[in-house]
Amino acid sequence: MSGHVRHLITGSRVGIRHFTPEDGSEFTARVRESRDLHHPWLFPPTTPAAYAAYAGRLNGDPTKVGFLVCELDGGGIAGFININNIVEGGFRSGALGYGAFAHAAGRGLMGEGLGLVIDYAFDFMGLHRLEINVQPGNAASIALARRCGFRLEGFSPDFLFIDGAWRDHQRWALTVEMGRPGPVRGAGPGARNPGPSPLPCDPRTRRPSRRGGPR
């Protein structure tokens, strides 16, 4: 599927694009393969029906947007990164959630993909701040946030209800003014600037660049 859908941005090894209905089979198969990696932090959809509902929310809710991180060599889905709780106005913020699939873990693909999502969120969506809320024991997610330049802002007890209980979370954040470290952004010979979204009905993709002045 990846080879037939235009990426929003490409780096040296991966590109990012939106979820489509046709991705359901590959996505859910990768989720099932990655149970040990995700548990107990993530619970992405494992069935076609659950995927359809999940992708539908990401594509249809103006406070959310989802990205698949796809390998340029072969087009396989390496992971996913979502921006939730998007707030405009004076805040211009969103909360990131992400997960790698087992076959792609430890290869640096999600670091490159997250760098591309950061670029897309700041440069094309016009956001000013991105947050990552992560459980203290999730060492891999914390390491990725740190590598991508996020700063630890605090600790929130009983922050989110996950897997049957209220879980403590660390709060990490990145703003436009903090800059973006080059090594994780996928800037290489194949890198391209953001292009128009393949889902033009989504109002989020019609925002002007932050360089265009205040909103």
Side-chain angles (χ1 to χ4, degrees), residues 34 37-38 71 77-79 99-110 140 147:
S34 307
L37 178 65
H38 293 164
E71 295 187 67
I77 301 173
F101 291 139
H103 75 286
R107 296 167 54 196
L109 302 177
M110 286 300 291
R147 287 199 305 274

Side-chain angles (χ1 to χ4, degrees), residues 9 14-15 18 51 59-60 63 71-73 81 84 102 109 116 127 134 136 138 142 151 156 182-184 187 199 201:
I9 319 179
V14 302
H18 292 307
Y51 172 86
N59 290 333
T63 68
E71 295 187 67
L72 299 181
D73 183 9
I81 301 170
N84 301 299
L109 302 177
L116 295 176
L127 296 182
V134 57
N138 191 346
I142 291 172
R151 68 185 171 207
S156 295
V184 299
L199 298 175
C201 61

Side-chain angles (χ1 to χ4, degrees), residues 97-201:
Y98 47 77
F101 291 139
H103 75 286
R107 296 167 54 196
L109 302 177
M110 286 300 291
E112 183 177 330
L114 183 54
L116 295 176
V117 170
I118 291 167
D119 284 346
Y120 189 82
F122 287 163
D123 296 335
F124 192 68
M125 293 175 62
L127 296 182
H128 171 257
R129 173 185 170 90
L130 292 169
E131 301 178 0
I132 297 174
N133 299 304
V134 57
Q135 295 182 60
N138 191 346
S141 288
I142 291 172
L144 180 56
R146 184 179 287 113
R147 287 199 305 274
C148 288
F150 286 73
R151 68 185 171 207
L152 179 61
E153 291 194 334
F155 175 82
S156 295
D158 305 327
F159 185 67
L160 286 173
F161 192 80
I162 298 174
D163 196 24
W166 290 98
R167 308 292 181 179
D168 300 341
H169 280 69
Q170 293 180 1
R171 303 191 317 275
W172 295 76
L174 180 72
T175 65
V176 170
E177 290 81 2
M178 291 167 60
R180 285 160 271 175
V184 299
R185 292 175 56 197
R192 295 187 297 166
N193 291 326
S197 169
L199 298 175
C201 61

